[in-house]
Amino acid sequence: TIYRHFRDRDDLLQTVLNTWFDKFAVTLDAADREGTDPRGRLLAQGRAYLHFAVEHPAVYRVMFLERMDIGVLPSGEDFRNDPAFGVLIRAVQALHDAGLTGRHDVMSAAMTIWSSLHGVAAMAVCSNMLEQIGAERLGMLVGETVLAGLQYS
């Protein structure tokens, strides 16, 4: 009876993932509001990103690691309109406007920040490599390092 509501398995999975992407976007948006300056906004988003991944490892795996054909973001300016990635873009734009991205454009800086946190999150949900260090602690170290590097490179 479930296929009365969905075309096939992928349609069902996409619907479920859309719900999780919405929750993820709300989580990042709430974290973004915690920061009082561009760096604080990005670090709060980073903590929220890692917390989401660790709290929902199976969902995170499907959202970002296992199904590359589902949840793929659009290219170029459309990134700014994505509910989740757009939160990051707006914070990086504020960082850029404050002169804290060095010679890097907003999209390059955003992709650098995201890929760094994504790497830590992937390690946290796909292995036991972070049991001793902790995903949030390592993620914040990576985040601070990336933000400093962007400013001076």
Side-chain angles (χ1 to χ4, degrees):
T1 62
I2 198 163
Y3 290 110
R4 289 183 186 163
H5 304 285
F6 303 97
R7 284 187 314 274
D8 54 26
R9 179 183 171 274
D10 283 346
D11 187 38
L12 170 62
L13 182 58
Q14 184 64 58
T15 300
V16 171
L17 283 177
N18 286 344
T19 300
W20 279 103
F21 273 109
D22 289 344
K23 290 177 183 182
F24 182 60
V26 167
T27 298
L28 294 179
D29 190 53
D32 183 63
R33 295 173 195 277
E34 293 174 15
T36 56
D37 62 272
R39 292 182 93 253
R41 289 172 63 187
L42 287 163
L43 292 172
Q45 284 183 43
R47 278 190 294 279
Y49 185 101
L50 294 168
H51 184 76
F52 182 92
V54 170
E55 288 294 310
H56 310 288
V59 171
Y60 184 86
R61 275 194 220 78
V62 175
M63 287 172 70
F64 293 107
L65 301 171
E66 294 176 2
R67 292 295 306 261
M68 298 312 289
D69 60 323
I70 292 179
V72 175
L73 292 171
S75 62
E77 290 297 312
D78 291 337
F79 270 109
R80 296 177 192 280
N81 298 323
D82 180 79
F85 204 79
V87 176
L88 173 65
I89 294 289
R90 288 186 293 279
V92 173
Q93 182 67 57
L95 191 75
H96 182 74
D97 293 346
L100 300 175
T101 57
R103 59 181 168 76
H104 306 285
D105 63 87
V106 172
M107 188 57 70
S108 296
M111 291 301 288
T112 300
I113 293 165
W114 174 73
S115 62
S116 300
L117 284 172
H118 174 70
V120 174
M123 287 172 56
V125 302
C126 294
S127 72
N128 63 359
M129 293 175 65
L130 296 181
E131 287 180 356
Q132 293 177 342
I133 299 173
E136 184 175 324
R137 194 166 129 212
L138 178 59
M140 291 302 94
L141 175 60
V142 168
E144 289 280 357
T145 303
V146 168
L147 289 175
L150 285 172
Q151 184 175 354
Y152 296 109
S153 63

